[in-house]
Amino acid sequence: MNDENPILVLFESLLKTDAEKRILELIINEKSKEEIIEDFLKIKEK
Amino acid sequence: MISYDYRIERLDKGRKSEIFVPGKLPKKIDNITYIEGPNSSGKSTLLNLIALAFFGHRNEEIVNALRKKMIHLLNSQRNRLTFKIEINDKNNNLALLAEKDNPEKNEVSLFDYVNGKKERLSLESFEKKYNLIYDIPQNPTERIKLLTQEIKEIQRRYGDIISDLKDYIRHILREIESSRDPNKIKKLKNSLKDYKKNHNELQRDLKHNKELLEKLERATYCKYYLKYKEENSKNYNQLISMQSKSKLEKVRKTRGSKEFDQFNRGLLKELKYLKELQENILSSFYSLPKKELDILSIFQKINLDEVTEFLEFPKNLNAIMNKIEKKCVELIDDSKKEDYYQKAMFYKELITVLERYNSLKIDVPGTAKSINDLIGDLKKELNENEYLLRYIENTKKLMELIKSFSQVKQSIEVHYLPDLKELRKENKNNNETITYQKISLLQEKHKETKEKKDLYYERYMKIGEPDPKKVLKLGDGILNKYLNFSEEELLSEISKINSDISRINEEITTCNLKKDLTTNELNILENQKPHKYTKYQEKLNKLFEVTEELTSKLKNEFNKNIEYLEDSNINPEEINENQKKYNWAVFRYLGKRIEFYRHIKDYYEVDYINLIDEVLVTKNGKKIYFSEMGTGQSQSAYLLGKLNTSDNRIIIALFDEVAMMDDQSLKPLFDKCRELYNNGKLLVGIIVQKANKIKIESKIKD
C-alpha cells in the first residue's frame, strides 16, 4: 500500500486480509466498480 | 489566478439599504494568497462568498458558525446578493466559474472546465472532484481531536462505496446464475441422461409387470372359474336329486323338535367350518411337492356330512389326524436338513442385515459391488430357492390347520352330539329331519359356490374370456413360481402386481416431469450467451464475501471504535484490545496528517498523536503535551493536518482568523499549499489574518 496516504496507513493496520486492503486502496484511488472487480480477478489467492 | 466581483445590498427595515462591493481588496488575487486587514475590509466576506460558491453552506464538515454566515448571505429578505468568481489553474486555464446573477433567487451556477469543455457541477459532482476546506482554527488543540470527525466521515463514505460494490457484485452473480454456464449445462445433461436411463428401466419393469399380471390373472381366473363352476354344478345336481327323492313335509314344531333344530343349526354351523378346514388341509397338502401320502386320500374320503346323520365322527378320524401331523413334522425336519434351505436362510438373513446399511455408498469388500447391487443379486438367488422356504411355511400352516380341525371336532363332540342323540330318540320324525338337514347343507354350499363362480366369471369376462386350453398354466414359463400358491396367495399376488404397476406409472410420470423440466432448463441455458465472468464465479463469490465483511467493519465496527475514541470520558484501563489497536491506528494516522511540528524554534517529524494522553510524540521520541503547545504552533499543526488529506480530490482551502500564528508557524502551511498546488492537488489556498493595515501577499513562490 501507498505509505504517503495517511488514510491508507490507518486502514493498513486495521484490516486483516490482503484482499480487504487491496479493495480499500482501489477505492481510495477512485477506481470504478468494474476496475476493482477486474483487478481482484487477477489477484492470486494469498 | 482568482478573479471575483460581488454586490451585496443589505436591507434593513425602516432604514436606507447599504451596498457592499470589493473596494479595499483587489478583485484579482493569486491562487495562494495571504491577506491581512482590519475589520470590515471584506476579507471574511471574500472567504464566505468563495465557500458559498462551492456549496459550503451545505458542507457538514464546515463548522456550523461559518455555515450560518453563508446562509445569512443567501437570505434574500436581508441581502440582495450577486457575485461572480473565476478561478484559473496553475497553467492559467479557467478551472471553475461560479455565478449568482439573480439577487432574488438563491441559486448559484457552478461550472467546471475540463480541457476547455464547460460542465455544470452539482453538489455531488463537485464533492467527487473537489475538497472544500474552510476553517477558523480556534482552540486548535481541541480541533486536532476533531480531526477524528474526518475519519468518521471517511469510514462512512467508503462504507457506502463498498456497500454499492457489494450490491453490484451480487447483481453480476445473479446474471451469471442465469447465463450460459458450461458446468451447469454439463450437470443438466448428465441428469437428463440419468432420467432417460431411469425411464427406460421403469418402462421395462412396467412391461414385465403388465405381462405377468395379464398371464397370472388369466391363469388364476380361468382356474377358479372352472373349479367353482364345476363344484356349483355338482352341488346343484345333488340338491335336485335329493329334493326329488324326498317328499318335503313341513316338520311339526314340537317342543322337542324346536330344541333339536336349535342344536342342529349349531352343529351345521360348526360342521361347515370343519369342512372348510378339511378343504384347506387338503389344498395345502396337495400344494406340497411331496404328496405321495396314502393317508391323505383316506382323509379326503371322510364325509363330514355323515356326522349329521349318525351323530358321530368316523372312528378312524383321530388316528388319521395324528398320522398327518406326524408326517408334517417329519417333512419340516427333512427339509431343514437340505443345503438349499440353509442357503436360502443365509441369503434371507444376509439381505436383512445389508438392508439396514443400504444408504452407505460403499463397495462390499471382495465383491466390488455396492450394497444395493449385492442385495439385488442375493434376492435373485433367494428367489430361486424360495420354493423351499415357502414349502416349510406351508407345512407349518398345515399343522396349524390340523390343530384347529381337532379343536373344532372336539367342540362338536362335547357340545352338540350328546344332546342331539338324546333329542333324536324323542323325535318321531327322524327321517324327515335328516333329509331336511342334508338339503339345507347342500343349499348353503350351492349358494357359496355360486357366489365364487359368479365372482370369477365376472373377472374371467373382464379379461376377455380366454380359451382355458390356451392360457399359460401356473408353474409354467413366467408363472413358474406360482405353482404352489393357494387361491388366497394368488389373489394377493395379483393385488400386489397391480399396486406395483400403479407405483411404476407414478414414477414414470415423475421421471417424465423431471425430464421435461431439465430439457427446458437446458434449452434456455444453451440459448443464453455466456457471461464474461462465468469462469470467475468462485472468485466473485469470494470478493462478495470480502466486501460484505469490509462494509460491516467500516460501517459498524470502526464506527463504534471512532465514537468510543471521541468520547472524552474514556478510562484508559477499560479499553479492550480491539479498541486499543484501533486507537493506535488513529494516533499514527494523525501523526501522518500533521507530519511536521514546530516547537519553540525546532521542527520535528511527528510519529503519532495520542488523543487520550493528549501528547504529540516526534520520530526522535520527544513528547510534547497539548498543554505545552503554543497557540500559533498548534494552529499550524491543526491546519497542516487539514491539508494532509487522504484522497485525490483537489483542495480549495480557506483559513480565517489565524491570528495566533507568527511567520514561523505560517511558513510550513504556505510550504504545504505550494507543494500541493505544484502537484495539481490544490487550486485555492487563502489564509486570512486580522491586522490594522491591509496587506496582500502572493505565496505561490517561496
Side-chain angles (χ1 to χ4, degrees), chain B residues 123-134:
Chain B
L123 170 65
E124 288 73 25
S125 53
F126 173 79
E127 285 192 338
K128 207 171 168 188
K129 189 171 176 184
Y130 296 95
N131 180 10
L132 174 68
I133 302 169
Y134 183 20

Side-chain angles (χ1 to χ4, degrees), chain B residues 368-384:
Chain B
K369 283 181 177 176
S370 71
I371 291 179
N372 273 329
D373 287 349
L374 191 58
I375 289 173
D377 287 355
L378 287 170
K379 278 188 175 170
K380 209 172 154 191
E381 285 286 329
L382 182 65
N383 204 27
E384 285 172 13

Side-chain angles (χ1 to χ4, degrees), chain A residues 5 7 20 27 34 38 41, chain B residues 162 168 533 539 553 646:
Chain A
N5 191 329
I7 202 74
E20 286 181 339
I27 285 172
E34 289 79 5
E38 294 279 349
L41 297 181
Chain B
I162 294 167
Y168 183 65
Y533 291 142
K539 277 191 169 188
K553 276 184 184 169
S646 45

